[in-house]
């Protein structure tokens, strides 16, 4: 039986509405509800010369079958101000958060099996007077989740992050035994329960060059990372490392790995985006809901042009479907 998913169209002046409309041109295996302004989608479809039947739905009449090819289910969420492709308007900052809130609360209530998010523009939301640091933090607050983990994935590689958006000079202080423990446990748990991997094999990066070179290039490995990994292994986690990041990302090591645990943002994501930019997905682990997203930004200069690549959104959609199906099988089992 098809599951139901929410798709938030993101920043209205960006390519999120365009990407959402393009999904209508392909058959979906599950029910997909786009949470966006009906008027925005209609105007963008006309600009793109796309023939799309925008079918309005509400929580009172959720569909049970996927929309036919050429149609898109829309939960109308009105804009606060008219939108011109490529031109940001702070008046629509609250609208973006309303779409996210509707999707997340729908997931919590069981209306949706998961949510897929098109890109938002953090700057314009903050210009609207709303403190916003990103999807991940917003959804963590909304679901009252203390610790979340950013995971990016492309074909053949998954990378989880111990720290995310921090200045490099602050990273070493943020790699604590407590943080590493919580992140590793979440990564292991969600690989099992949301990806269906029975015993995940996780490679952990060192923080310093050559994983500290026995203490000559930093002592974080000796004093924090190695003891923490050893303790987690006693709990049954299959953790290998810490390994030097400059050699970990090679076929020899990755061949039998289910995920890599990187200590900071660019250590892991530079390699992943080199391998799969435009074909990668951003997954938020640790939440009580399934959330996936594209691996790119709003691309304001491309909005309304038709010159966009929808590859990442398709991967985000497929990943959300697979995660929900895996959870459903585990629940039935």
């Amino acid at each position: 039986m098809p599951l139901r998913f929410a798709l938030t169209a993101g920043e209205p002046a960006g390519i999120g509405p365009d990407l959402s409309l393009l999904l209508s041109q392909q058959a979906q295996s599950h029910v997909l509800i786009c949470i966006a302004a009906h008027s925005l989608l209609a105007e963008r479809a006309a600009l793109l010369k796309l023939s799309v039947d925008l079918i309005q739905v509400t929580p009172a009449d959720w569909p049970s079958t996927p929309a036919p090819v050429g149609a898109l289910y829309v939960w109308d969420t009105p804009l606060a101000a008219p939108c011109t492709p490529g031109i940001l308007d702070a008046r629509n900052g609250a609208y973006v958060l309303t779409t996210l809130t509707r999707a997340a609360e729908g997931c919590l209530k069981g209306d949706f099996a998961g949510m897929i998010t098109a890109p938002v523009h953090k700057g314009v939301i903050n210009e609207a007077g709303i403190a916003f640091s990103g999807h991940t933090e917003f959804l963590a607050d909304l679901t009252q989740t203390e610790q979340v983990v950013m995971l990016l994935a492309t074909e053949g590689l998954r990378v989880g992050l111990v720290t995310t958006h921090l200045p490099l000079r602050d990273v070493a202080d943020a790699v604590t035994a407590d943080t590493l423990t919580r992140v590793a446990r979440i990564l292991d748990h969600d690989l099992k329960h949301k990806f269906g991997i029975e015993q995940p094999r996780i490679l952990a990066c060192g923080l310093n060059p050559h994983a500290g070179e026995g203490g000559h290039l930093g002592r974080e490995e000796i004093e924090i990372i190695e003891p923490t990994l050893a303790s987690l292994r006693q709990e049954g986690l299959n953790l290998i490392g810490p390994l030097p990041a400059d050699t970990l990302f090679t076929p020899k090591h990755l061949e039998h790995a289910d995920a890599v645990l990187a200590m900071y943002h660019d250590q892991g994501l530079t390699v992943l985006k080199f391998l799969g930019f435009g074909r990668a997905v951003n997954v938020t682990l640790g939440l009580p809901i399934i959330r996936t997203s594209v691996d790119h930004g709003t691309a304001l200069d491309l909005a309304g042009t038709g010159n966009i690549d929808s590859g990442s959104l398709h991967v985000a959609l497929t990943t959300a479907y697979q995660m929900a199906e895996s959870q459903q099988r585990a629940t039935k089992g």
Side-chain angles (χ1 to χ4, degrees):
M1 181 176 177
L3 300 172
R4 190 183 307 114
F5 293 81
L7 167 69
T8 57
E11 166 54 47
I15 62 171
D18 311 47
L19 292 169
S20 302
L21 290 164
L22 288 176
L23 289 176
S24 71
Q25 306 302 295
Q26 296 185 342
Q28 298 296 326
S29 57
H30 292 288
V31 180
L32 188 63
I33 309 294
C34 183
I35 303 178
H38 183 276
S39 60
L40 168 69
L41 295 174
E43 291 170 5
R44 195 65 58 87
L47 185 62
L48 295 170
K49 296 181 172 57
L50 278 177
S51 178
V52 183
D53 182 14
L54 300 173
I55 305 171
Q56 294 202 51
V57 297
T58 69
D61 61 354
W62 290 135
S64 58
T65 57
V69 174
L72 183 68
Y73 293 130
V74 181
W75 184 3
D76 185 29
T77 308
L79 292 167
C83 176
T84 301
I87 301 178
L88 296 170
D89 190 329
R91 291 176 294 175
N92 285 322
Y95 152 84
V96 173
L97 299 190
T98 298
T99 65
L100 293 176
T101 300
R102 283 185 163 187
E105 290 182 346
C107 289
L108 291 171
K109 289 192 299 183
D111 286 348
F112 305 123
M115 61 185 288
I116 301 97
T117 59
V120 300
H121 194 287
K122 300 174 189 176
V124 76
I125 295 173
N126 282 280
E127 286 175 16
I130 305 168
F132 180 79
S133 55
H135 277 112
T136 302
E137 295 81 4
F138 179 82
L139 293 173
D141 288 341
L142 192 149
T143 60
Q144 299 181 8
T145 304
E146 182 180 354
Q147 177 76 53
V148 293
V149 175
M150 181 186 292
L151 175 84
L152 267 79
T154 190
E155 185 176 356
L157 180 62
R158 300 183 186 96
V159 177
L161 301 178
V162 176
T163 65
T164 53
H165 300 126
L166 289 177
L168 195 54
R169 68 171 60 250
D170 296 337
V171 168
D173 290 339
V175 179
T176 64
D178 179 61
T179 298
L180 180 54
T181 297
R182 287 188 292 165
V183 169
R185 285 173 177 164
I186 290 170
L187 178 59
D188 179 76
H189 176 277
D190 280 11
L191 287 173
K192 290 176 179 175
H193 296 278
K194 292 182 179 177
F195 287 88
I197 302 170
E198 288 188 15
Q199 185 61 38
R201 188 173 190 268
I202 301 169
L203 308 185
C205 295
L207 173 67
N208 296 294
H210 300 179
E213 195 78 74
H216 296 288
L217 294 176
R219 297 193 58 80
E220 285 83 4
E221 286 77 13
I222 293 173
E223 296 175 359
I224 298 170
I225 300 175
E226 290 177 3
T228 303
L229 296 182
S231 177
L232 289 166
R233 289 187 197 106
Q234 294 298 312
E235 298 179 12
L237 277 68
N238 188 5
L239 292 161
I240 296 87
L243 301 172
D246 64 342
T247 55
L248 182 157
F249 291 100
T250 56
K252 171 187 173 182
H253 289 291
L254 294 178
E255 184 178 2
H256 301 294
D258 295 301
V260 171
L261 184 57
M263 295 299 126
Y264 57 94
H265 188 279
D266 286 13
Q267 183 185 57
L269 300 194
T270 300
V271 179
L272 186 135
K273 292 193 175 185
F274 173 76
L275 285 176
F277 189 75
R279 304 182 310 280
V281 58
N282 186 339
V283 184
T284 306
L285 303 182
L287 295 172
I289 63 176
I290 289 172
R291 179 259 170 167
T292 67
S293 185
V294 295
D295 70 343
H296 56 73
T298 52
L300 296 169
D301 57 322
L302 299 179
T305 67
N307 184 28
I308 59 173
D309 184 345
S310 59
S312 182
L313 183 59
H314 283 288
V315 178
L317 201 66
T318 301
T319 302
Y321 288 173
Q322 292 171 343
M323 291 171 70
E325 290 165 0
S326 177
Q327 271 197 334
Q328 187 180 58
R329 286 193 298 270
T331 300
K332 289 181 178 179

